[in-house]
Amino acid sequence: MNIVILAAGQGKRMHSNLPKVLHPIAGKALAQHVIDTARGLSPEKLVVVYGHGGDVVRATLAAPDIAWAEQAQQLGTGHAVAQALPHLGPAAQTLVLYGDVPLTTAATLKRLLQAGKDGLAILTVDLADPTGYGRIVRDGAGQVRCIVEQKDATEAEKAVREINTGIMVMLTARLADWMSRLKNDNAQGEYYLTDIVALAVAEGLPVRTAQPDGEWEVLGVNSKVQLAELERQHQRNLAGQLLVAGVRLADPERIDIRGELKHGRDVAIDVGCVFEGRVELADAVEVGPYCVLKNVKVGAGTRIAAFCHFEDAVIGPDGVLGPYARLRPGTELGPEVHVGNFVEIKKSVIGAQSKANHLAYIGDAEIGQRVNVGAGTITCNYDGANKFKTVIEDDVFIGSDTQLVAPVRVGRGATLGAGTTLTRDAPAGELTFSRPRQVTLSGWKRPQKAKQ
Ligand code: UD1
Ligand code: CA
């Protein structure tokens, strides 16, 4: 089939400089959701009709399998589809989707395609309040006759609750002829795509309807209110899938997934967590409240306490992390590593059973196994121009408030005394410290305030 995605509308009610179809749901542009769903149906041709904010829309959504059709002036949905005609392939069916209706499922679209195999099919829903939508007009036998827009509808037609979602599939072979016969002599002076329904009926082609599984599948975004509502709906759907798959969520209403979340068995996630990009949580991982994880892999049995922020990191099994831990890109933690509060780690590899439990900065470091990094330890990896590496071998003990001025190496089993500023390598197995001798000035008095 061919798929045409209509994305030329401006979206005035968004009150935004960003074209409407680029506003995000789950961190991804509305139109990108539609494109991704479309791709899942393996179309021969995928055409996006663009207009408002054209350059930004094209640049943001660009992909080799997308053909672009410009609709310089928005003269109606029929006019929009007509712009796509030159790009269509010979495929039997052409499916029309809206770039601002992001959550339609592939399963629903497959039913619609099936219904439209030998003619035309419309995705419809019954709404309690159909105001504003095109109405599906049926004859006494229940056959679809035509679609009437709200502004052109009689009182009787306005009473119809079955509405046109706008999503439609039709025979490609008839499309060019139908487009050439559309007129704009209606209340809005637009070329309505919906008028092809009456044309198909007149030709005796079968016109059928299909329905989505949920109303949210066909809801469009015209305002920030609707954007927020669909975001919640989408997140609720994702949370529901996680629950069904066995993930324990403290509250399915308080989780945000902006990407892909893979999980093993017995995973538990507390409230307020945000997952971005690709996140993998192995068996029995626990994530505490208000954590942000972006492109992170977490090994089995690891516990993450509240308020952690991890990005582009790989965490081994049975780790104990947080609260308030920060892992920046390039962090790799081995098994049973502990990272405590206010510890920041960047581009560093840390071996099994090593611990940094309080207040530390570890950057560009290679840390072995069973190393204890004391409170307040800092790798001084940057001289203002270049970055240098710190190597800490197995079984090292680093006393509190130590600075390791890189490049520097601490040999296996070495101990660094508290307060050390290490500027040269520390030999294995020995105690190394740099510390001025402690002095006491007896009889010294604190300064007094001068009398007025
Ligand atoms: C359209 C349908 C209506 C349906 C409703 C569902 C027509 C004539 N009417 O109405 O039956 O109930 O959608 O929401 O088709 N677009 C363009 N170029 C244009 C006009 C629209 O690309 O010239 C795009 C818009 O960006 C949007 C979609 O087409 O994504 C629908 O446009 P919109 O103006 O919202 O359609 P309605 O008039 O509300
Ligand atoms: Ca609309």
Side-chain angles (χ1 to χ4, degrees), residues 376-380 390 398-406 408 416-424 434:
T377 297
I378 290 173
T379 56
C380 309
T390 300
I398 300 178
S400 299
D401 192 27
T402 292
Q403 302 94 52
L404 299 115
V405 182
V408 75
L416 301 186
T420 294
T421 300
L422 195 73
T423 51
R424 284 171 284 131
S434 76

XYZ file of all heavy atoms in Angstrom, residues 376-380 390 398-406 408 416-424 434:
175
model
N 34.568 12.457 49.881
C 35.241 13.670 49.437
C 36.411 13.443 48.495
O 37.191 14.364 48.247
N 36.531 12.251 47.959
C 37.621 11.970 47.013
C 37.318 12.610 45.664
O 36.186 12.550 45.177
C 37.785 10.445 46.832
O 38.145 9.883 48.084
C 38.820 10.125 45.772
N 38.367 13.208 45.069
C 38.188 13.844 43.764
C 39.309 13.438 42.828
O 40.490 13.517 43.182
C 38.167 15.382 43.900
C 36.873 15.803 44.605
C 38.276 16.058 42.541
C 36.814 17.265 44.947
N 38.939 12.967 41.631
C 39.947 12.779 40.603
C 40.060 14.104 39.871
O 39.085 14.599 39.302
C 39.534 11.677 39.602
O 38.270 12.023 39.054
C 39.455 10.319 40.268
N 41.257 14.698 39.911
C 41.466 15.984 39.238
C 41.891 15.634 37.817
O 43.074 15.470 37.535
C 42.536 16.802 39.957
S 42.202 16.931 41.739
N 43.074 8.549 35.678
C 43.491 8.062 36.991
C 43.295 6.550 37.006
O 42.227 6.069 36.634
C 42.612 8.684 38.097
O 42.753 10.108 38.054
C 43.009 8.164 39.476
N 41.326 4.459 49.710
C 41.605 5.888 49.559
C 40.963 6.640 50.707
O 39.738 6.612 50.866
C 41.065 6.411 48.213
C 41.749 5.637 47.070
C 41.306 7.905 48.052
C 41.274 6.011 45.709
N 41.779 7.300 51.533
C 41.246 8.032 52.674
C 40.404 9.216 52.229
O 40.477 9.668 51.081
N 39.634 9.735 53.174
C 38.697 10.825 52.859
C 39.421 12.074 52.380
O 40.583 12.309 52.719
C 37.899 11.182 54.114
O 37.167 10.058 54.532
N 38.698 12.870 51.598
C 39.178 14.184 51.165
C 40.524 14.106 50.461
O 41.447 14.869 50.748
C 39.275 15.127 52.378
C 39.484 16.569 51.932
O 39.056 16.896 50.817
O 40.078 17.342 52.693
N 40.622 13.169 49.549
C 41.863 12.983 48.788
C 41.683 13.492 47.371
O 40.627 13.294 46.779
C 42.227 11.482 48.762
O 42.580 11.094 50.084
C 43.366 11.186 47.815
N 42.721 14.162 46.844
C 42.704 14.565 45.439
C 43.740 13.752 44.679
O 44.885 13.655 45.126
C 43.033 16.054 45.267
C 42.102 16.976 46.023
C 42.674 17.327 47.391
O 43.818 17.758 47.483
N 41.892 17.140 48.431
N 43.298 13.179 43.563
C 44.234 12.422 42.738
C 44.462 13.239 41.472
O 43.556 13.365 40.638
C 43.655 11.049 42.398
C 43.380 10.191 43.644
C 41.899 9.934 43.806
C 44.149 8.887 43.578
N 45.649 13.852 41.377
C 45.909 14.752 40.252
C 46.412 13.919 39.072
O 47.545 13.458 39.051
C 46.926 15.848 40.647
C 47.148 16.807 39.483
C 46.428 16.613 41.872
N 45.543 13.742 38.087
C 45.836 12.862 36.953
C 46.783 13.550 35.968
O 46.800 14.778 35.900
C 44.531 12.487 36.267
N 47.736 9.776 37.067
C 48.360 9.207 38.259
C 47.855 7.781 38.449
O 46.751 7.436 38.012
C 48.068 10.104 39.491
C 46.626 9.950 39.981
C 49.039 9.838 40.635
N 45.904 5.380 50.746
C 46.209 6.811 50.715
C 45.635 7.432 51.973
O 44.462 7.228 52.295
C 45.595 7.486 49.475
C 46.028 6.958 48.104
C 45.440 7.847 46.998
C 47.540 6.905 47.968
N 46.461 8.188 52.692
C 45.992 8.816 53.920
C 44.996 9.923 53.628
O 45.039 10.553 52.571
N 44.112 10.176 54.599
C 43.089 11.208 54.426
C 43.747 12.543 54.108
O 44.796 12.884 54.631
C 42.253 11.326 55.700
N 43.115 13.307 53.231
C 43.587 14.644 52.913
C 44.751 14.693 51.948
O 45.313 15.757 51.705
N 45.119 13.565 51.365
C 46.270 13.528 50.458
C 45.966 14.219 49.137
O 44.877 14.078 48.592
C 46.668 12.056 50.186
O 47.132 11.492 51.414
C 47.746 11.951 49.124
N 46.959 14.983 48.650
C 46.904 15.472 47.276
C 47.953 14.686 46.516
O 49.158 14.937 46.657
C 47.218 16.982 47.212
O 46.243 17.676 48.013
C 47.139 17.489 45.787
N 47.499 13.699 45.749
C 48.435 12.780 45.106
C 48.836 13.322 43.740
O 47.996 13.463 42.857
C 47.759 11.408 44.944
C 48.704 10.258 44.629
C 49.529 9.883 45.859
C 47.919 9.044 44.132
N 50.124 13.632 43.588
C 50.582 14.175 42.311
C 51.522 13.219 41.594
O 51.840 13.409 40.426
C 51.306 15.525 42.514
O 52.292 15.350 43.530
C 50.320 16.597 42.949
N 52.023 12.203 42.330
C 52.871 11.175 41.721
C 52.278 9.812 42.047
O 51.498 9.679 42.992
C 54.297 11.272 42.267
C 55.082 12.432 41.656
C 56.404 12.640 42.350
N 56.225 13.309 43.661
C 56.766 12.885 44.810
N 57.509 11.792 44.832
N 56.552 13.544 45.931
N 50.103 12.895 51.814
C 50.733 14.209 51.751
C 49.935 15.061 52.703
O 48.723 15.199 52.560
C 50.648 14.782 50.335
O 49.371 15.250 50.053
